[in-house]
Amino acid sequence: IYAAGIAHATLTAILGFLVSTGFGLFAQELGTRIEAFVVDPILIKKDSAHKDNWYKYLRCTLPDNLVARSYIESLVLHLKFELNTASALIISWVGLLWLMIVDAGVEVSTFFVVTGFIFAVVIYLVFEAVGTGKVLGRVRFELLKGIGNSPIT
């Protein structure tokens, strides 16, 4: 940000950090909405017990050294990456649309090519998120079957 020809690098850095953090939180929230309104209904349609198993799983206490715990953590990381990247791409597309509208040098043909690429990647990531959700559901189901049974040592 410039005022009377003087650069305010610190202010620019702080504002850039705050805007980036805000958009990051917005992208995460959008990813959560995609999970709730797109991924979960698909999983529930394929497995009616999906939601019940999820809430049962949330109520259980698992041993710290359970092998499945690190596997679930890895799957959740993948799921969050897929959903948050998809939502960040959607936000980026809105910015690209704005650049085209204000005539900031984005050609219409470039806009449509990039739009096609962005939405192809978004569809792929949501498709992958559904697959990751299926695997998470299966792992939770298997863990719930073991409740009350002694672990294999």
Side-chain angles (χ1 to χ4, degrees):
I1 298 175
Y2 292 94
I6 301 172
H8 297 281
T10 304
L11 178 61
T12 302
I14 290 171
L15 287 176
F17 173 76
L18 292 174
V19 168
S20 297
T21 301
F23 276 116
L25 291 172
F26 180 71
Q28 183 176 8
E29 179 61 25
L30 186 58
T32 302
R33 299 293 176 172
I34 292 170
E35 180 180 10
F37 295 110
V38 177
V39 175
D40 284 347
I42 292 170
L43 296 174
I44 290 169
K45 188 182 281 186
K46 294 180 183 220
D47 177 13
S48 60
H50 176 78
K51 193 176 246 181
D52 292 334
N53 286 338
W54 169 242
Y55 287 116
K56 285 179 191 172
Y57 173 75
L58 289 177
R59 289 190 297 269
C60 36
T61 304
L62 300 174
D64 288 337
N65 60 352
L66 190 65
V67 173
R69 180 181 294 259
S70 62
Y71 183 58
I72 286 175
E73 289 170 357
S74 173
L75 287 172
V76 168
L77 180 65
H78 284 117
L79 180 67
K80 293 300 177 189
F81 173 80
E82 292 156 354
L83 293 171
N84 293 340
T85 302
S87 60
L89 284 170
I90 293 168
I91 294 168
S92 298
W93 178 82
V94 171
L96 182 65
L97 176 65
W98 178 76
L99 287 174
M100 192 186 78
I101 290 171
V102 298
D103 198 24
V106 177
E107 298 291 327
V108 175
S109 60
T110 303
F111 173 77
F112 284 114
V113 168
V114 173
T115 295
F117 175 75
I118 286 174
F119 283 101
V121 172
V122 166
I123 290 168
Y124 170 75
L125 289 169
V126 172
F127 176 77
E128 286 297 315
V130 170
T132 303
K134 285 181 191 175
V135 174
L136 275 167
R138 180 67 185 174
V139 171
R140 282 192 301 265
F141 176 74
E142 292 298 325
L143 285 172
L144 291 171
K145 285 189 339 189
I147 291 179
N149 298 328
S150 61
I152 299 172
T153 55

